[in-house]
Amino acid sequence: MNLFRRLFRSQQITNHSIIRLDPDDFKKAISKNSGKIIDVRTKREFATGVIPGAINQDVMQKNDFLQASLQWSKSEPGYLYCQSGMRSQKAARILSRNGFTKIYELRGGISGYDL
């Protein structure tokens, strides 16, 4: 039972480190805060339009994504987005499981964001 409580508590802590923001709130957050803006789409998608200041790190290339994340500060805010919101959720979970504590995800992805 103690193991179950530890696992469940850990999952709760992990989930609290991921905050999903609507496009307006995401825009405000990246304009006010320092941090890394991470586009987790493919290079081809990245070339079609990007939030200014974003770096591209395709989450579907999991090993590359994990290797790149080792260079990022775990205490610095990370602002994640993809095309529709699914891949950024995956990226947020990966970062959270690996010790990142300030993860902000664009709800609905860049498709609902005015560039």
Side-chain angles (χ1 to χ4, degrees):
M1 203 60 139
N2 192 18
L3 176 62
F4 177 75
R5 268 186 272 173
R6 274 193 228 148
L7 289 173
F8 186 69
R9 183 170 14 122
S10 175
Q11 183 179 8
Q12 285 180 324
I13 291 168
T14 298
N15 289 339
H16 288 299
S17 64
I18 302 169
I19 298 171
R20 296 184 77 201
L21 299 173
D22 290 324
D24 288 338
D25 293 330
F26 191 86
K27 197 173 281 189
K28 288 176 193 171
I30 62 174
S31 70
K32 292 180 181 178
N33 298 310
S34 63
K36 192 169 292 308
I37 305 169
I38 307 161
D39 183 322
V40 300
R41 299 176 299 162
T42 65
K43 288 181 182 185
R44 177 178 273 174
E45 289 172 304
F46 186 77
T48 66
V50 59
I51 294 174
I55 62 166
N56 181 226
Q57 193 59 60
D58 184 352
V59 72
M60 299 310 286
Q61 303 298 318
K62 189 174 179 180
N63 288 336
D64 292 342
F65 185 83
L66 287 171
Q67 286 299 315
S69 73
L70 295 175
Q71 306 303 313
W72 306 335
S73 170
K74 291 183 178 186
S75 62
E76 179 182 42
Y79 299 94
L80 305 172
Y81 71 92
C82 64
Q83 189 64 36
S84 65
M86 298 304 290
R87 287 174 285 178
S88 59
Q89 286 181 34
K90 177 180 180 144
R93 287 190 302 269
I94 291 169
L95 294 178
S96 181
R97 281 194 300 263
N98 285 287
F100 288 80
T101 57
K102 298 174 186 172
I103 305 165
Y104 301 91
E105 182 205 348
L106 175 58
R107 184 185 311 264
I110 197 170
S111 61
Y113 189 89
D114 291 325
L115 291 176

